[in-house]
Amino acid sequence: MEKTKLVEARKRRNISQERMADILCMDVFNYNRREKPQKFLCKSGKK
């Protein structure tokens, strides 16, 4: 599932990230990482 679909599905059901993390038995930080696209930095520190 695409990350944007996760956010849309959660918001359609009016569920907070905290509640969804609790339902999935995971930490809010880790759930947030699943929803948000990761940004990778190269060695120089630039995108």
Side-chain angles (χ1 to χ4, degrees), residues 6 9-32 35:
L6 286 174
R10 179 180 58 79
K11 287 185 178 183
R12 257 196 322 266
R13 291 170 177 82
N14 294 321
I15 299 174
S16 68
Q17 283 187 339
E18 293 84 7
R19 177 71 180 128
M20 185 60 81
D22 187 46
I23 291 168
L24 298 172
C25 299
M26 58 188 332
D27 185 68
V28 176
F29 175 78
N30 287 324
Y31 181 77
N32 184 303
E35 277 193 359

Side-chain angles (χ1 to χ4, degrees), residues 28-42:
V28 176
F29 175 78
N30 287 324
Y31 181 77
N32 184 303
R33 287 177 48 206
R34 304 240 183 236
E35 277 193 359
K36 307 292 180 194
Q38 293 184 4
K39 297 178 177 132
F40 297 98
L41 298 176
C42 64

